[in-house]
Amino acid sequence: MNKVIEADFFPRESDPEFSRTGSIARSGLGEKRRILIVDNDRESTRLVKILLERTGRYLVLEENDATKAHQSARNFRPDVILLDIVMPETDGGEVAAQIQADPELQRTPIMFLTALVTKAEAKTGLRIQGHPFLAKPISIPELISATEESLPARAAF
């Protein structure tokens, strides 16, 4: 019964929105990519985690306390970090600077998720602190596509 719910809940690869990511799923890369999502909005991170993990290609760790994000990244060793900009105590820019200053994490791609820009602005190719960003609310197909573009290339064999 659970499989039926998952299949009905998440769009199929034949959905036009998923056409670019469908080829990735069929590429034979069996290992799941690790994504750390840092946002103080627990409901948002939970939803993104569920939707990304249902693709079968990602293992997602949520961190809702920006002051713990750097240590979570050190422990989890993500392939990419999705980082909200506006958070209490420590903002995303500070977290990104901490991660970039860490020799063990400095090559980890960071993608900002923010409500400070419009969807149109996000599509212009501009960067925040040198990092790509997506406008909130995010669409999962768009997030998957942008995440795949941010991930380091892996050998297909």
Side-chain angles (χ1 to χ4, degrees):
M1 183 169 177
N2 228 1
K3 296 237 185 240
V4 172
I5 292 171
E6 286 181 20
D8 291 339
F9 181 75
F10 198 71
R12 296 181 184 355
E13 285 184 17
S14 60
D15 185 323
E17 289 273 75
F18 279 73
S19 60
R20 286 184 285 173
T21 60
S23 61
I24 296 166
R26 294 184 297 274
S27 68
L29 302 176
E31 185 180 326
K32 291 183 181 182
R33 303 306 290 265
R34 300 165 72 82
I35 299 174
L36 172 63
I37 181 166
V38 182
D39 192 322
N40 61 299
D41 182 345
R42 291 180 189 278
E43 290 179 20
S44 292
T45 58
R46 186 73 184 141
L47 181 60
V48 170
K49 174 185 172 69
I50 289 167
L51 293 175
L52 286 175
E53 287 187 345
R54 285 194 176 174
T55 68
R57 297 191 315 254
Y58 308 105
L59 177 63
V60 181
L61 176 68
E62 303 167 75
E63 179 54 73
N64 300 113
D65 183 345
T67 62
K68 296 179 181 177
H70 180 221
Q71 189 60 48
S72 291
R74 289 195 70 137
N75 294 340
F76 186 61
R77 301 285 185 211
D79 294 302
V80 67
I81 298 170
L82 306 177
L83 184 56
D84 187 22
I85 292 179
V86 180
M87 295 181 283
E89 296 182 45
T90 303
D91 70 30
E94 293 172 57
V95 173
Q98 290 171 357
I99 290 167
Q100 288 179 306
D102 186 328
E104 295 180 30
L105 297 171
Q106 64 187 7
R107 296 181 147 224
T108 305
I110 295 172
M111 185 177 355
F112 286 117
L113 306 177
T114 182
L116 299 175
V117 298
T118 66
K119 297 256 183 204
E121 290 170 324
K123 291 183 181 193
T124 64
L126 294 175
R127 292 177 169 257
I128 298 173
Q129 292 183 344
H131 302 287
F133 61 91
L134 291 176
K136 288 182 174 181
I138 56 173
S139 90
I140 294 302
E142 185 179 4
L143 176 62
I144 290 170
S145 177
T147 299
E148 287 296 329
E149 288 174 18
S150 293
L151 286 168
R154 290 196 296 198
F157 304 119

